[in-house]
Amino acid sequence: MAAAGLISLLLLPHGGHSAAEVAGWFGLPLLLGAGSLVIARVDLAPYGRWATPLGAEAVRGAERHEALALAVHGVRAVHEPQFRAALTVRTAA
């Protein structure tokens, strides 16, 4: 994105727009996107993988609940052959 903005500033005709306007059209989205990533990184830093201890405990105990085990571990967590076969059947689109 930055390279496209630099090429636009240096090589392309601006069609009546100043270099500052062209730089703004490329620079502002780049600045806002980078700022969002920085905010997300700072915001997520103090948290672990799970939002609450209750959520982590539920995932550790997923083997006791078939629906939760299916959601966490996928089809390999299902022990009943008929149920597993029903989940792995693919239909033509």
Side-chain angles (χ1 to χ4, degrees), residues 3-93:
L6 184 61
I7 290 170
S8 175
L9 280 175
L10 296 176
L11 301 177
L12 298 177
H14 298 147
H17 298 286
S18 70
E21 288 177 324
V22 174
W25 278 108
F26 282 97
L28 187 60
L30 188 63
L31 180 67
L32 293 174
S36 297
L37 292 174
V38 169
I39 289 171
R41 179 65 184 151
V42 170
D43 190 36
L44 293 175
Y47 303 111
R49 184 168 176 197
W50 302 103
T52 64
L54 184 61
E57 184 178 327
V59 170
R60 278 193 296 271
E63 291 76 26
R64 294 185 301 244
H65 305 284
E66 279 193 36
L68 187 56
L70 179 63
V72 173
H73 302 293
V75 177
R76 62 185 161 87
V78 177
H79 299 295
E80 296 179 31
Q82 292 175 336
F83 189 39
R84 182 182 289 199
L87 291 171
T88 56
V89 171
R90 300 199 188 262
T91 60

